[in-house]
Amino acid sequence: MNPRHQLGILGGGQLGRMLGLAAAPLGLTCSFYEPSGSDCPAALLGPVMGDQEHSDEAVHAFLASADVFTYEFENIDIRLVERIAQHKPVYPGLESLRLTQNRLYEKSLFAELDIPTASWLAVNSRAELEAAMNTLGLPLVLKTTTQGYDGKGQFILRVPEDVTDAWQHLGANGPLIAEQFITFRREMSIIAVRDLQGHTATYPLTENVHLKGILSHSLTPAPEVSVAIEQTAVRYMDSLLTRLNHVGVLTLELFETDNGLLANEMAPRVHNSGHWSIEGALCSQFENHIRAVLGLPLGSTRCPRPTAMINLIGQPPERADILGLSGAHLHLYGKSPRPGRKLGHITLSADSHVELKQRMLDIAPYLPNPMALSA
Amino acid sequence: MNPRHQLGILGGGQLGRMLGLAAAPLGLTCSFYEPSGSDCPAALLGPVMGDQEHSDEAVHAFLASADVFTYEFENIDIRLVERIAQHKPVYPGLESLRLTQNRLYEKSLFAELDIPTASWLAVNSRAELEAAMNTLGLPLVLKTTTQGYDGKGQFILRVPEDVTDAWQHLGANGPLIAEQFITFRREMSIIAVRDLQGHTATYPLTENVHLKGILSHSLTPAPEVSVAIEQTAVRYMDSLLTRLNHVGVLTLELFETDNGLLANEMAPRVHNSGHWSIEGALCSQFENHIRAVLGLPLGSTRCPRPTAMINLIGQPPERADILGLSGAHLHLYGKSPRPGRKLGHITLSADSHVELKQRMLDIAPYLPNPMALSA
């Protein structure tokens, strides 16, 4: 049987959906593997397969459904990806996936490439946590090494007595990592894409503002970025892409501190902080990821006008409220409302950062969730 | 049964497909009625219903599938639309559809609204054709009054002896219309959208270049348009939208002549000459049509950078050739190749018309079909 689709995507969430929407105009279609069932955001764009057990039947059906494979999320069972990679190309490759699935591997890679980070120590026992507290000082951030995202699997120790609580919360979650608490001016991310021939293209630095551990909104290009900072971020990204022999989109989260940029973590995939690129860049992160993994030339990552992305969390807004605002673009993922759930996002573009800030103030009253506008 | 979709679209071709792609980010889904079968471009975006006989079963299933209805093409059986309109809202309304299905009605409407056109006469017999030739002179364009598009159903008489050929070609096709052959400087179109409250938004004039009766490419904003010409086109469009109580996108094709603008024909729908708006306008014709027919506020029709649209006809290009060109966007409709068939289009944007022209020259060698570049 000839595969009916060019791209098989592990995961059927909003990232899969937006990849599918970017594939369609190129005349490319996707199949999806989503164990949680076919009632997922990506289901609009192609067939959904998969089961919780990753049965041979489900995996073989998925393998037969497409030519090339990718994933929308790094916290997936790597054995599943290995099974697929035995038969067909998977991009980004297993090395990119392995290293980003584990904070210890990731931090070690940053160290290997001379990319500065917060000081950190591996923690495998309560005694090691106490030792880390003594070495790194307080506050201290204790994190699981795997499965963390959107602030999940983290505990901040502020006083020595927090050790008990911290250990109670996370001690049973396998190997941990303790990181020095960073006082940063702001959080940023840089998103780049690398194709099969090794060509790269990098989007401008994005400024990200979080609320309760979840991305609230982002601004691109990040305002007031010095050339030195931008060049440093691009250099870090280039060394990561090359070292991983990465194919597809890679996202690097950074802290801007008084002592320069510190790497926080990375994701081998399209990223929430790159959603602005659908309207804000000449070629979106989604289209560029598809181009890269399917061996096509990369598109321009240029951002002609300052663009903001605002997440819609928990409750959807009234469509008419948002669409009534000049230049607002609405993206809803087809998910049912639930507290803390990312249901969609809004893109705003403007001719200047000043005008963009005004538009964000204009839109704020219509948002179902508060936006962290103080930043 | 609650309808599962917000919008039901009559027709499952590329216009339906691009409407479906524009609906998805708004969290809206579409069903389609396509008698020619479910292997159609729009099938990617939603269920496809319909049969050649418009059976009660098929029409009722379609009626039950959505809340509001629209069509992607005016050359459909108006009785089918009337059956739907008896039960649920259809936009644009029946008046818009009736008047644009028939060139005689359309030309009469233009006359009623003082919108100048080529001189014309109704032709119901060979004798009337000869009379029209005497009254209007040669060359003369003989057209069917219904079902014409992409240059189909037309015959140009250049010498009196052409009467026999012309009548042989079209005489059996019902009522005809004879139009004075217009020597024009160029063809243009203006696309506007009107919402349920009567608000309107108008895209800039587009210059269209045809080859063998099929749109080859278009340029927006049309270069070197005087304010007077732009205002005249907007005035014609406004009077049409108001007279028709139109809801949705309306396209008016115009000839620019030494004596000003002459209306050629109109279409109550998204139009090939508006495909540039997907990347070239802040809100595309597809999204604006959906917003209008679903009672949502209209989006901005602003075109920040000159944009060209190039049709891909007959054969698809090599994806990598097109995507390797800076700023090129590829849109393939998922149709199999066939001579003369519109398989997709390319959008090119640039910072100036000069740069845009250069990009069109750069892309020309990679096109499967020649582009009418002399214009």
Side-chain angles (χ1 to χ4, degrees):
Chain A
M1 190 185 84
N2 278 332
R4 288 183 47 227
H5 305 280
Q6 288 81 25
L7 189 60
I9 301 177
L10 285 152
Q14 64 262 28
L15 301 179
R17 176 185 172 99
M18 288 185 275
L19 285 168
L21 282 170
L26 303 180
L28 302 167
T29 60
C30 306
S31 57
F32 300 92
Y33 188 93
E34 176 54 67
S36 72
S38 61
D39 182 24
C40 61
L44 179 68
L45 281 312
V48 180
M49 302 160 221
D51 55 31
Q52 297 287 358
E53 306 75 35
H54 306 322
S55 69
D56 280 351
E57 195 188 342
V59 174
H60 287 159
F62 183 56
L63 255 172
S65 73
D67 297 315
V68 174
F69 292 80
T70 191
Y71 39 88
E72 60 149 19
F73 199 41
E74 64 278 18
N75 291 329
I76 45 174
D77 186 344
I78 198 161
R79 289 165 302 183
L80 173 60
V81 183
E82 285 166 346
R83 282 164 75 188
I84 291 165
Q86 278 166 19
H87 302 279
K88 293 198 174 168
V90 178
Y91 302 113
L94 286 165
E95 180 84 344
S96 294
L97 188 58
R98 260 187 219 109
L99 286 166
T100 53
Q101 281 196 332
N102 187 302
R103 291 185 194 280
L104 285 173
Y105 301 168
E106 202 172 68
K107 286 287 199 296
S108 304
L109 176 65
F110 290 146
E112 175 196 326
L113 297 174
D114 287 327
I115 298 173
T117 65
S119 301
W120 57 272
L121 283 170
V123 167
N124 288 295
S125 65
R126 184 176 161 135
E128 283 183 5
L129 176 55
E130 283 173 14
M133 200 167 60
N134 290 331
T135 309
L136 302 173
L138 287 173
L140 188 70
V141 189
L142 186 66
K143 297 179 178 177
T144 58
T145 52
T146 60
Q147 299 294 333
Y149 70 98
D150 284 351
K152 292 172 192 174
Q154 303 199 6
F155 194 100
I156 301 177
L157 295 82
R158 300 190 182 274
V159 292
E161 294 71 35
D162 285 341
V163 166
T164 303
D165 265 8
W167 193 250
Q168 203 170 326
H169 267 85
L170 296 177
N173 289 278
L176 301 172
I177 183 171
E179 299 175 14
Q180 213 167 36
F181 184 89
I182 294 300
T183 306
F184 52 79
R185 293 185 201 152
R186 58 177 165 174
E187 294 177 86
M188 300 202 285
S189 58
I190 187 161
I191 298 181
V193 58
R194 185 168 177 272
D195 72 12
L196 276 164
Q197 285 77 42
H199 303 118
T200 64
T202 309
Y203 292 94
L205 272 167
T206 294
E207 178 178 313
N208 300 316
V209 179
H210 289 78
L211 200 62
K212 298 181 188 168
I214 299 182
L215 183 61
S216 162
H217 62 274
S218 62
L219 290 174
T220 312
E224 294 171 41
V225 171
S226 70
V227 173
I229 289 285
E230 184 88 34
Q231 285 177 347
T232 301
V234 171
R235 194 174 74 241
Y236 293 163
M237 179 51 93
D238 279 346
S239 64
L240 288 165
L241 289 170
T242 306
R243 164 66 175 76
L244 295 169
N245 193 23
H246 193 83
V247 174
V249 163
L250 183 68
T251 304
L252 176 63
E253 293 185 32
L254 298 157
F255 296 125
E256 188 180 29
T257 75
D258 291 343
N259 299 314
L261 293 177
L262 298 182
N264 180 28
E265 59 184 49
M266 58 181 180
R269 56 169 168 86
V270 291
H271 194 262
N272 196 168
S273 69
H275 290 0
W276 65 271
S277 64
I278 297 178
E279 287 91 11
L282 295 190
C283 183
S284 78
Q285 64 167 348
F286 301 100
E287 181 170 338
N288 257 330
H289 186 73
I290 286 162
R291 290 188 186 205
V293 303
L294 291 180
L296 294 165
L298 301 179
S300 169
T301 49
R302 198 177 128 198
C303 168
R305 303 170 76 219
T307 304
M309 189 288 306
I310 302 161
N311 268 339
L312 297 168
I313 297 166
Q315 285 288 329
E318 285 295 324
R319 269 192 202 92
D321 287 343
I322 303 303
L323 298 180
L325 296 165
S326 174
H329 288 272
L330 178 62
H331 296 261
L332 294 174
Y333 307 147
K335 292 158 83 171
S336 46
R338 187 196 302 162
R341 198 176 202 199
K342 290 177 182 172
L343 302 179
H345 71 271
I346 292 165
T347 316
L348 292 173
S349 286
D351 291 328
S352 68
H353 274 294
V354 173
E355 189 190 28
L356 188 56
K357 200 102 188 178
Q358 186 55 51
R359 295 206 168 171
M360 293 174 76
L361 291 170
D362 293 343
I363 212 168
Y366 302 105
L367 298 177
N369 49 286
M371 175 167 47
L373 265 183
S374 56
Chain B
M1 189 184 86
N2 278 331
R4 289 182 48 228
H5 305 281
Q6 289 81 24
L7 190 60
I9 301 177
L10 285 153
Q14 63 263 25
L15 302 179
R17 176 184 172 100
M18 289 185 274
L19 286 167
L21 283 170
L26 303 179
L28 302 167
T29 60
C30 306
S31 56
F32 300 91
Y33 188 93
E34 176 54 68
S36 72
S38 61
D39 182 25
C40 60
L44 179 69
L45 282 311
V48 179
M49 301 159 221
D51 54 31
Q52 297 287 357
E53 305 76 32
H54 307 321
S55 69
D56 281 350
E57 196 187 340
V59 174
H60 288 159
F62 184 54
L63 254 171
S65 72
D67 297 314
V68 174
F69 292 81
T70 190
Y71 39 88
E72 61 149 20
F73 198 40
E74 64 278 17
N75 291 327
I76 45 174
D77 185 345
I78 198 160
R79 289 164 302 182
L80 172 61
V81 183
E82 285 166 346
R83 281 165 75 187
I84 292 166
Q86 278 164 20
H87 302 279
K88 293 198 175 169
V90 177
Y91 301 113
L94 286 165
E95 180 83 343
S96 294
L97 189 57
R98 260 188 220 109
L99 285 168
T100 54
Q101 282 195 332
N102 188 303
R103 290 185 196 279
L104 284 173
Y105 301 168
E106 201 172 71
K107 285 287 198 300
S108 304
L109 176 65
F110 290 147
E112 173 196 328
L113 297 174
D114 287 327
I115 299 173
T117 65
S119 301
W120 57 272
L121 284 169
V123 167
N124 288 295
S125 64
R126 187 179 159 136
E128 283 182 7
L129 176 56
E130 283 173 14
M133 198 168 63
N134 289 331
T135 310
L136 302 172
L138 287 173
L140 188 72
V141 190
L142 186 67
K143 297 178 178 177
T144 59
T145 51
T146 61
Q147 300 293 334
Y149 70 98
D150 284 352
K152 292 172 190 172
Q154 303 199 6
F155 195 100
I156 301 178
L157 295 82
R158 299 189 183 276
V159 292
E161 294 69 37
D162 285 341
V163 167
T164 303
D165 265 7
W167 193 250
Q168 204 171 325
H169 268 85
L170 296 177
N173 289 279
L176 302 173
I177 182 171
E179 299 175 15
Q180 211 165 38
F181 184 89
I182 294 299
T183 305
F184 52 81
R185 293 186 201 151
R186 57 177 166 175
E187 294 177 86
M188 300 204 284
S189 58
I190 187 160
I191 297 181
V193 58
R194 185 168 177 271
D195 73 11
L196 275 163
Q197 285 77 42
H199 303 120
T200 63
T202 308
Y203 292 94
L205 271 167
T206 294
E207 177 177 313
N208 300 315
V209 179
H210 288 77
L211 200 62
K212 297 182 189 167
I214 299 181
L215 184 62
S216 162
H217 62 274
S218 62
L219 289 173
T220 311
E224 294 171 41
V225 170
S226 70
V227 173
I229 289 286
E230 185 89 33
Q231 285 177 345
T232 301
V234 171
R235 193 175 74 242
Y236 293 163
M237 179 51 94
D238 280 346
S239 63
L240 287 165
L241 289 170
T242 305
R243 164 65 175 76
L244 295 169
N245 193 21
H246 193 83
V247 174
V249 163
L250 182 70
T251 304
L252 175 64
E253 293 184 33
L254 298 157
F255 297 123
E256 188 181 29
T257 74
D258 291 343
N259 300 313
L261 292 177
L262 298 182
N264 179 28
E265 59 184 49
M266 58 181 180
R269 56 168 168 89
V270 290
H271 193 262
N272 195 167
S273 68
H275 290 0
W276 65 271
S277 64
I278 297 178
E279 288 89 11
L282 295 189
C283 184
S284 77
Q285 64 167 350
F286 300 101
E287 181 170 338
N288 258 330
H289 186 73
I290 286 162
R291 291 188 185 205
V293 303
L294 292 179
L296 294 165
L298 302 179
S300 168
T301 49
R302 197 177 130 198
C303 169
R305 303 170 76 219
T307 303
M309 188 288 306
I310 302 161
N311 268 339
L312 297 167
I313 297 166
Q315 283 289 330
E318 285 296 324
R319 270 191 201 91
D321 287 344
I322 303 304
L323 298 179
L325 296 166
S326 175
H329 289 272
L330 179 61
H331 296 261
L332 294 174
Y333 308 147
K335 292 157 81 171
S336 46
R338 188 198 300 161
R341 197 177 202 197
K342 290 177 182 172
L343 301 178
H345 72 269
I346 293 165
T347 317
L348 291 173
S349 286
D351 291 327
S352 68
H353 274 294
V354 172
E355 190 190 28
L356 188 56
K357 200 100 188 177
Q358 185 55 51
R359 293 204 171 172
M360 294 174 75
L361 291 170
D362 293 344
I363 212 168
Y366 301 106
L367 299 177
N369 49 286
M371 175 168 45
L373 265 182
S374 56

